[in-house]
Amino acid sequence: MTSLLDLSLAQSQCLSHTLSLRGTQAFPAMGPVSVWQWSPWGLLLCLLCSSCLGSPSPSPSMGPEKRAGSQGLRFRLAGFPRKPFEGRVEIQRAGEWGTICDDDFTLQAAHVLCRELGFTEATGWTHSAKYGPGTGRIWLDNLSCSGTEQSVTECASRGWGNSDCTHDEDAGVICKDQRLPGFSDSNVIEVEHHLQVEEVRLRPAVGWGRRPLPVTEGLVEVRLPDGWSKVCDQSWSAHNSHVVCGMLGFPSEKRVNAAFYRKLRKRAAKASARRPKPLVRPITKHKVKPKPQVGRGPIKRLLAQRQQHSFGLHGVACVGTEAHLSLCTLEFYRANDTTRCPGGAPAVVSCVPGPLYAASSGQKKQQQSKPQGEARVRLKGGAHPGEGRVEVLKAGTWGTVCDRKWDLQAASVVCRELGFGSAREALSGARMGQGMGAIHLSEVRCSGQESSLWKCPHKNITAEDCSHGQDAGVRCNLPYTGVETKIRLSGGRSRHEGRVEVQIGGPGPLRWGLICGDDWGTLEAMVACRQLGLGYANHGLQETWYWDSGNITEVVMSGVRCTGTEMSLDQCAHHGTHIACKRTETRFTAGVICSETASDLLLHSALVQETAYIEDRPLHMLYCAAEENCLARSARSANWPYGHRRLLRFSSQIHNLGRADFRPKAGRHSWVWHECHGHYHSMDIFTHYDILTPNGTKVAEGHKASFCLEDTECQEDVSKRYECANFGEQGITVGCWDLYRHDIDCQWIDITDVKPGNYILQVVINPNFEVAESDFTNNAMKCNCKYDGHRIWVHNCHIGDAFGEEANKRFERYPGQTSNQII
């Protein structure tokens, strides 16, 4: 029989809980009473009390409710993996939760939804179900907001529940992590789980702390809110390993040497069995020397891990196409689980690194070898390794990919194909800059298991279907190498600039030191900024006297010469332990200024091919050109003003495809005025023009100063910013191009002394790397060139590494080209 005290206690506790939900704290002195301690009559009385008082009973999966202007709607963020201020947007209407389609979704709509969720504004939005597909209804489609609406109901759409989308097109938002004043509801985002896997790592069973990075094999550990935990290996599959390796930046997995780990576990079990039981310490005045413990090294570590109940996850079942472990089916151990992973052991994974991170050169050669004729993929425009605009090679021409239906599965295929892990982000809307030329693919639909993007179903595209404003991009997971811990900047005004300091480990402890500024340039600065994780290099400085040197004065590295593609400075050529520096003072040490964006110049190769022709120009019309050194050396001994020079003329159209304007390195105070042509030169050498024999010997050359860098034409949505008139600012805006017509001075190569034969026409922009760019490999163009002494044929012009051996192998050759004679 239930006592009156039980009923009174239950009623008081219930009333306290109900009033507290209404904003009033009742009975503050009363401690909490568990519902499991109540008698059945007390529990019934509490339920009746709650229903009478109208107590709300919020669902644990419910997100923050917007009470003003939402007409009874509720909003929440869902999906994995994400942070508390981002996720898939879900709306509850008429008691049913649903999603929003990403068709016509914009940042303005994200602003409105973030305010509905209690945040001040949006910083971005996602498409193609980045946080996983939702379930139930798709409430809104073609949502169009101005960004000033008080409620999403004020935005235009196709109407509630009227949609032709699937959940693969669910929209998400990334809100600013700042709450609206007075908004007190918590943003409950864990809809399906109260826990989520935040991070994954591999912990080597042997040699922890001494093995080289990146770690490719070890015990899988996941970071949960209460720390790092092991994963039970029962029912562990290769698909699980594939997902884990992708998260860690590796393209694939390999079979683990299970016998090795079984042997370790057996030895650990034997050591545990031999361990003596604790005895009562005898009373003695002398210290007892402890006996040596059994099971040192890896055995001791495995034994300790089993005793600590360090398992936090089990039942992992991945398909293999997931971009994150949280997207797999899995189960978390509860805090009161006394037995964890019975009969099992920690899951072990072994990953295969990509070419950039392979441990040995033998691995690199094996991984980089590809069958001839295989379609290739590359990334352009990214500030960091493993990110950029996706470009594919088709019929010998590079083109971009349209972002229609672009998702994490397709992005992961690209990342793994390039030797990285799975994709962190699938980027749309030309986030990595707009490409130029063809758009080869659209509506790419990958399952995630394909070995190449070309093996995914896709739609061949026409010019009307998509524009370069819809170029797709990716951000890939990368292995942790720790190279950023061996370099730092000091003395700068911000973290993006300063004197470069590197950590070296000679005999004795590690120490920090400076780099000699001799021959330090843009390419070396690019590698330093990449190693720092700060993007591109704006400038590589040989003098840093205006930055405080601090207490580091020793020069520990000299003779640094980089190609610009290295991942860290220690991969560049340098003098080693022998320091040879012409100027050893601290003021002459290397410095950098880094930036997250950079320009990227690209020559319109088709225009060169279309406009090339020969002109015999009288000497009396070439005085200005001779003054600017635009003629061959033999012109100096010509019979001026009589005679002529034979010129190969062509137009050049130089586009800026980067994410920052191309500006001259020198300020306008140091520009040189040329009276003859009546303009300023902001760069002494802007382009090199060369005629080469098939074996690379130069037979004619020309160079062109930057007569004037300006925006000749721009894309429709881009305004001109630079103009030469009236001593204006010089440069090339992103999305614009500078046109040098074939009929202006110095837009030629003097071929007066060139004999008939087969040649290569080569044009290199920014040849001395005076101005930093995001990519120097596309600054060169080559064309086949056939000259019979009277006429010239230029064709097969293409962009590429003008100095690369592989580019020369792919270059077309004529019959008899080795003898350089026409046959």
Side-chain angles (χ1 to χ4, degrees), residues 487-491 495-500 532 534 592 594:
I487 187 173
R488 66 188 184 189
L489 300 181
S490 65
R495 70 184 190 94
H496 287 86
E497 65 175 38
R499 182 180 288 105
V500 181
L532 286 160
L534 298 178
V592 296
C594 304

Side-chain angles (χ1 to χ4, degrees), residues 107-109 111-112 115 145-152 154-155:
L107 185 63
Q108 286 70 31
H111 283 312
V112 176
R115 289 196 295 270
C145 305
S146 66
T148 60
E149 293 85 353
Q150 296 297 316
S151 168
V152 72
E154 300 175 16
C155 300

Side-chain angles (χ1 to χ4, degrees), residues 560 661 705:
V560 181
D661 295 350

